[in-house]
Amino acid sequence: MANQPKRLLRKYDLLLDHLDFEHIRQCSDGRQVENIVKVLRSGEEGYFPQLTAYAEERLRALRPDSKLLRKEVPLATRHTVPEEQWNTLYSQLNSWEDEMKKLSSQIRSLELMDDTDALPPVRKIINEDEQQPAKVSPSSETPMERIRSCDYARWDQYDPETEMLKMDLDEERHRELVRAKNRKNVEPAKIVELPAEVKLSEQEKQVVAEKLRVKGNDFFRAMQFQEALEEYDRSLELWPTAACFNNRAMTNIKLHRYKEAIAVCDQCLLREPENVKALLRKAQALKLSDSRRESYKVYCDVLRLEPTNTIALNGTADLRRQLPDLPPANAFRMAIEEVRNGPAEPEDDDFDFSALVKPKKIVKDKLPTAIKQLKKDTTNVLRKSAQEQEARGKQEITLQRERNTVQRGQRTPLIEEI
């Protein structure tokens, strides 16, 4: 794929907000004002003659010697120069030509040189009867061969007026091509208000509606959202299309009118239920109006249509970070239906549903038995612990008696033995 040229705004590192009267008035950088003038003259961002003239005046005040302020002066021709000045120039050229003819005749009459054959011919003015103009075929596409500086015979046949006429024609042809290329920006708008009684055909309505939509797009790029909204409304009145609905919804979002944007998206979805752009605009408006759960549902609808849509994937991921309780994007609700094996019976409010319950096996309730066993086990545990405690007490009493007997059998001396 061929590399596309950069836009001038990106090339000169400018913002769309810089194309403004207030910014140009406050800007003191001559280089930046030059870049703004180049962008305005190019017509990439629209045709704004008043803003372009104001930027040129500001550039003239900051940098009077700028190359952008130079004006191209066309070549002087009989039709561009005043008649008196042209007569003066023409008379001077005629007098100079007469002097050159006289001088040439004097040089011929002298014949000072004898060896004239060995020398190249001197450049001279040939009379009209001797002159043989070069044949030029206007239809030939091959470029003219350049005359060598030493080819005096061909230089004698060279006609300056013919060549100047060719240059004038080429310049006029180039200007006509430039005018045809810029006619869209230079000429006034062709869309005019039609009277109410004029009835348009279906094809005419489509053409006029498309031109109004394109005009609204130009206003949108220039950040004139209110004017763009008016053009979209007029286009929808003539011929409603999904593209115009989507553009109108995006303009309402830029104007922070989220309810109107949602309503416009709903109108578009009534015509085309699977329009992905309308769903994305609606989800964006719902998210900005703090209806995040509804926005998540709309993003999920987009993913069902286009599972790899980047905007919808990023939107669902962002909303799930904000609301962790949201289900996955590919989740769906299961529908539960009653299935009857037997024949359908008439509905009756007094229908006995207990007849439908027919257990295959009757199991005895084990809860009373479990309670009795629990009581029995508890009694055994308590009895066993009481017996262990009683045996432990008896053992301690026996040990105490043995200690007392040992102490009575020992003799305690009254005087220390030496």
Side-chain angles (χ1 to χ4, degrees):
M1 182 176 179
N3 295 328
Q4 296 182 354
K6 293 183 178 179
R7 295 174 65 89
L8 292 182
L9 283 178
R10 187 176 178 185
K11 179 179 179 182
Y12 299 130
D13 195 14
L14 295 174
L15 299 175
L16 194 60
D17 297 340
H18 292 168
L19 307 181
D20 183 66
F21 285 96
E22 186 65 22
H23 177 79
I24 295 173
R25 185 180 65 81
Q26 295 179 359
C27 183
S28 59
D29 187 2
R31 177 67 64 183
Q32 186 178 9
V33 177
E34 275 188 350
N35 295 336
I36 291 173
V37 172
K38 291 178 183 178
V39 173
L40 291 173
R41 285 182 177 179
S42 68
E44 286 186 356
E45 309 303 327
Y47 181 66
F48 308 101
Q50 297 178 355
L51 184 60
T52 305
Y54 183 78
E56 291 175 353
E57 291 295 330
R58 182 60 179 167
L59 179 61
R60 188 175 287 106
L62 293 175
R63 301 185 68 176
D65 56 343
S66 176
K67 294 182 179 180
L68 297 179
L69 299 177
R70 299 176 184 175
K71 294 185 178 180
E72 183 180 356
V73 180
L75 296 174
T77 60
R78 186 171 185 176
H79 304 287
T80 59
V81 178
E83 187 176 359
E84 296 179 358
Q85 186 178 358
W86 176 260
N87 293 334
T88 304
L89 294 173
Y90 189 73
S91 62
Q92 291 177 358
L93 288 173
N94 285 336
S95 61
W96 176 81
E97 186 179 0
D98 294 339
E99 290 178 2
M100 293 298 104
K101 286 181 179 181
K102 290 180 182 179
L103 182 60
S104 178
S105 60
Q106 291 176 3
I107 293 174
R108 288 177 184 175
S109 61
L110 291 177
E111 295 181 356
L112 297 177
M113 295 184 180
D114 297 335
D115 193 7
T116 57
D117 297 335
L119 298 176
V122 180
R123 184 177 180 183
K124 60 184 178 179
I125 298 176
I126 303 176
N127 297 330
E128 294 180 358
D129 53 351
E130 299 177 358
Q131 186 177 2
Q132 297 179 359
K135 297 180 180 180
V136 179
S137 57
S139 61
S140 62
E141 298 180 357
T142 57
M144 181 182 293
E145 183 181 358
R146 186 175 180 274
I147 303 176
R148 297 181 180 180
S149 58
C150 59
D151 195 353
Y152 301 109
R154 292 189 63 184
W155 277 113
D156 291 340
Q157 298 176 0
Y158 184 78
D159 189 2
E161 292 186 358
T162 304
E163 300 300 326
M164 290 178 65
L165 181 60
K166 290 180 181 178
M167 293 172 61
D168 292 340
L169 292 175
D170 292 339
E171 185 177 1
E172 186 65 27
R173 191 180 298 108
H174 177 69
R175 288 181 181 176
E176 184 62 28
L177 290 175
V178 172
R179 288 195 208 101
K181 188 176 181 180
N182 296 334
R183 189 169 292 131
K184 182 179 179 180
N185 294 333
V186 175
E187 291 182 355
K190 295 182 179 180
I191 300 177
V192 295
E193 293 289 341
L194 297 175
E197 59 272 7
V198 176
K199 292 184 179 180
L200 301 177
S201 62
E202 299 295 329
Q203 291 77 9
E204 291 173 344
K205 286 182 179 180
Q206 293 182 17
V207 172
V208 177
E210 180 63 20
K211 290 183 178 180
L212 289 170
R213 189 184 69 83
V214 172
K215 188 177 179 182
N217 293 344
D218 294 336
F219 280 121
F220 186 89
R221 295 190 191 97
M223 300 183 69
Q224 299 178 7
F225 301 122
Q226 191 61 41
E227 291 79 359
L229 194 62
E230 294 176 359
E231 297 299 330
Y232 292 145
D233 291 341
R234 293 170 57 192
S235 176
L236 290 173
E237 289 178 1
L238 288 175
W239 192 263
T241 58
C244 195
F245 275 118
N246 291 330
N247 294 349
R248 185 186 179 194
M250 194 64 195
T251 308
N252 281 319
I253 292 174
K254 292 293 184 180
L255 293 173
H256 305 287
R257 301 174 182 174
Y258 305 125
K259 292 184 179 179
E260 290 83 349
I262 295 171
V264 174
C265 293
D266 290 336
Q267 293 178 7
C268 181
L269 293 172
L270 287 175
R271 297 175 174 272
E272 298 182 8
E274 296 184 354
N275 192 295
V276 176
K277 283 190 175 181
L279 291 171
L280 291 174
R281 301 282 191 273
K282 184 178 180 180
Q284 183 180 0
L286 287 169
K287 184 178 179 181
L288 293 173
S289 62
D290 204 17
S291 300
R292 291 178 288 182
R293 295 186 182 276
E294 291 79 359
S295 176
Y296 185 80
K297 293 179 182 178
V298 179
Y299 276 133
C300 292
D301 295 338
V302 176
L303 291 177
R304 291 189 188 96
L305 296 174
E306 294 184 3
T308 60
N309 192 288
T310 307
I311 300 175
L313 290 173
N314 295 335
T316 51
D318 187 21
L319 289 172
R320 291 195 69 186
R321 284 193 296 269
Q322 298 177 17
L323 302 173
D325 60 331
L326 289 173
N330 56 356
F332 61 93
R333 187 180 298 274
M334 296 181 62
I336 300 175
E337 299 180 358
E338 278 192 35
V339 179
R340 296 181 178 180
N341 296 328
E345 297 180 1
E347 295 183 359
D348 189 2
D349 295 339
D350 299 333
F351 185 76
D352 186 10
F353 289 96
S354 61
L356 298 176
V357 182
K358 295 180 180 180
K360 295 182 180 179
K361 183 179 180 181
I362 299 175
V363 180
K364 186 178 179 180
D365 191 5
K366 296 182 180 181
L367 182 59
T369 307
I371 293 173
K372 290 180 181 179
Q373 185 65 30
L374 181 60
K375 289 180 179 180
K376 185 178 179 181
D377 294 342
T378 306
T379 305
N380 294 334
V381 170
L382 292 175
R383 186 183 296 110
K384 186 176 181 180
S385 64
Q387 291 176 358
E388 291 177 356
Q389 189 175 2
E390 185 179 356
R392 198 182 298 111
K394 290 179 180 182
Q395 187 178 2
E396 290 178 359
I397 292 171
T398 305
L399 291 175
Q400 186 66 29
R401 287 175 181 176
E402 290 178 358
R403 291 193 193 99
N404 293 337
T405 304
V406 172
Q407 289 178 0
R408 289 194 193 100
Q410 292 179 355
R411 181 174 60 84
T412 304
L414 299 176
I415 300 172
E416 184 178 3
E417 294 181 1
I418 298 172

